[in-house]
Amino acid sequence: MAGKLAPINPDVLDWAVRESGLTEREIAASSRIPEERLHAILRDHEQPMTGEFKALAKALARSTAFFFLPAPPQKEKSLTSFRYPPGRRNEQSLHFTERSALRSALRWQKIAAWIRQQSAVEPANLPRIGETGSPVNAASVLSSWLQWHVSLQKKTTSSSAVFKMLRERVEDHGVAVMQFSLGSEACRGFSLPHADSPIIAINSAYNPAARIFTLLHELTHLLRGDSALCGDPRDDGIERFCENTAAIFLVPADDLNEYVSKWLKTAYVDDVDQVRRVANYYKISLRAAAIRLKQVGRASATLYDQVNRIGEFGGGGFNPNAERQTTPVIRVRELGHELPRLLFAARDAGSLSEVEVRRHLDVDGSQLSEIHERVTHSPIEA
């Protein structure tokens, strides 16, 4: 690659490579730098050419300015609760996409907290359910806080609509809900607790029904005040508590029992297709339906194990009525409403200029106006 030498800090480059979790072969493939040349840059500390340097920065998901730091940054221990997919052990190291998403969420959390301090914006108002209550009580607190009833799910046209509604209600309380496309091998989502600016991140590779369950699961972690260091052993008891709370919130026992008796005409569900009918009725995921059926004594753990092996990916196929994916549509889908609203509040308070707001959102003036219109008046895009 042609160009001048880029006098970057090799120690910072070494640090970025280690943090990425990528192998040299993966970095070479992503940056299109021959492996032999990459080895010379990484191992022999030869200075890269400017073109090579920009390719490396992109492959490692770092800004070009980052590599000119005088020293590697001190590694921050993030208090994070990760929700892993079936079959993946939680002690395994984070994937590259997860590391990138975590860095992005932490950056946005710092921005949100700073805006709240500088612009006198109210902090998120989360109720606390403590660590000694039951999932039933936790679900009741959630339902009251979000003003939610199962009838709202039944009235909507799809699980996508349920997710939009829930996300909007959570964000109306000051909790930012972000979406990252992390792939099917990555975590379902994670949460970042904070006194003023908590964040929930959801893997959009999963379908909307699964995202509903992840949103409520991570929200329960925040309400409990849970924090787990990245890579630490996960407490399965806490995970079960959050899963049970989410399932109870979505499907009240009396309503479920009535549906199973009246429409499935059975006392005991033992078929995945029946679980799917329950899931479709309540606009929820198969896993949520299986957990709730087991909770009320209508299904066995064996049935849950069958359901848990079924993938929950994708967005439901081609939708001819879907909105054109412009930059403002994508930004709102990824960032939600709360983060752009905070940026606009900072602009209006004089804490940030319009140019700075545009830079944070990576948009031009007309795109910024459309985002403002969307987060002020329109529902969140799924």
Side-chain angles (χ1 to χ4, degrees):
M1 295 184 181
K4 298 180 180 180
L5 290 176
I8 65 173
N9 187 331
D11 293 334
V12 174
L13 176 59
D14 288 344
W15 186 93
V17 170
R18 290 196 304 272
E19 282 297 296
S20 74
L22 296 173
T23 65
E24 284 192 22
R25 178 169 294 182
E26 289 171 329
I27 295 172
S30 179
S31 65
R32 298 184 179 180
I33 298 175
E35 288 188 45
E36 184 177 348
R37 173 59 179 158
L38 182 64
H39 185 87
I41 294 172
L42 299 181
R43 302 297 181 182
D44 302 332
H45 289 166
E46 291 187 13
Q47 285 188 334
M49 306 301 285
T50 54
E52 294 171 328
F53 160 55
K54 292 178 181 178
L56 276 173
K58 185 176 181 180
L60 295 171
R62 298 281 182 176
S63 68
T64 53
F66 173 83
F67 295 92
F68 294 96
L69 291 173
Q74 293 292 320
K75 185 175 181 180
E76 296 183 4
K77 285 189 173 181
S78 56
L79 298 177
T80 312
S81 172
F82 274 86
R83 186 160 182 257
Y84 294 95
R88 178 172 164 196
R89 299 191 306 274
N90 58 288
E91 66 269 16
Q92 292 176 326
S93 61
L94 299 181
H95 292 174
F96 176 68
T97 56
E98 293 168 335
R99 292 171 184 268
S100 298
L102 179 57
R103 287 200 304 268
S104 178
L106 284 168
R107 181 178 71 85
W108 277 107
Q109 188 173 66
K110 289 179 180 178
I111 293 170
W114 180 85
I115 290 174
R116 285 191 161 98
Q117 293 171 0
Q118 296 295 317
S119 307
V121 178
E122 289 294 320
N125 64 326
L126 283 163
R128 291 298 179 191
I129 58 178
E131 300 180 359
T132 59
S134 69
V136 173
N137 291 335
S140 177
V141 170
L142 266 178
S143 297
S144 176
W145 183 60
L146 296 176
Q147 298 184 336
W148 194 262
H149 190 270
V150 68
S151 60
L152 294 172
Q153 294 159 228
K154 297 177 184 179
K155 291 176 183 177
T156 57
T157 57
S158 65
S159 56
S160 179
V162 175
F163 177 74
K164 289 179 185 179
M165 193 185 308
L166 269 174
R167 185 185 189 186
E168 189 170 44
R169 293 191 183 204
V170 171
E171 292 216 301
D172 281 346
H173 288 284
V175 180
V177 181
M178 304 179 70
Q179 292 195 101
F180 296 94
S181 182
L182 304 180
S184 60
E185 298 299 318
C187 65
R188 296 171 184 268
F190 60 86
S191 51
L192 295 174
H194 191 279
D196 299 328
S197 304
I199 285 181
I200 292 172
I202 296 173
N203 186 351
S204 61
Y206 286 84
N207 62 37
R211 280 181 261 161
I212 291 169
F213 198 56
T214 295
L215 172 57
L216 292 167
H217 179 107
E218 295 301 335
L219 184 59
T220 304
H221 273 301
L222 292 179
L223 267 59
R224 281 173 50 93
D226 292 333
S227 60
L229 291 176
C230 293
D232 281 359
R234 182 180 56 192
D235 187 328
D236 284 336
I238 294 176
E239 291 302 300
R240 297 293 83 74
F241 182 99
C242 294
E243 285 198 343
N244 290 339
T245 298
I248 294 168
F249 174 93
L250 291 166
V251 187
D254 54 351
D255 200 277
L256 177 59
N257 282 317
E258 180 182 354
Y259 176 80
V260 171
S261 298
K262 183 176 180 180
W263 298 106
L264 299 185
K265 301 186 185 304
T266 184
Y268 201 74
V269 175
D270 57 5
D271 182 83
V272 173
D273 286 339
Q274 291 177 319
V275 179
R276 185 170 283 106
R277 287 182 62 184
V278 172
N280 291 340
Y281 180 69
Y282 290 105
K283 316 295 193 308
I284 59 176
S285 68
L286 288 172
R287 295 180 74 250
I291 289 172
R292 198 61 179 120
L293 286 165
K294 178 186 172 186
Q295 285 175 338
V296 300
R298 293 282 193 159
S300 67
T302 303
L303 183 61
Y304 171 80
D305 291 339
Q306 294 179 47
V307 167
N308 199 33
R309 291 192 291 267
I310 300 173
E312 297 179 322
F313 305 108
F318 174 71
N319 180 2
N321 299 316
E323 192 170 18
R324 191 165 66 90
Q325 296 301 290
T326 62
T327 295
V329 170
I330 293 170
R331 291 291 181 277
V332 175
R333 184 179 67 240
E334 293 174 342
L335 298 178
H337 281 187
E338 180 61 12
L339 294 173
R341 281 196 298 234
L342 285 171
L343 290 173
F344 290 126
R347 181 195 63 181
D348 295 343
S351 302
L352 289 176
S353 68
E354 176 138 340
V355 171
E356 289 172 315
V357 173
R358 284 168 47 191
R359 187 180 300 122
H360 280 303
L361 294 173
D362 192 20
V363 295
D364 60 27
S366 62
Q367 291 168 338
L368 185 68
S369 297
E370 185 178 338
I371 290 173
H372 183 271
E373 181 73 15
R374 286 176 175 276
V375 301
T376 306
H377 303 291
S378 302
I380 293 174
E381 299 302 320

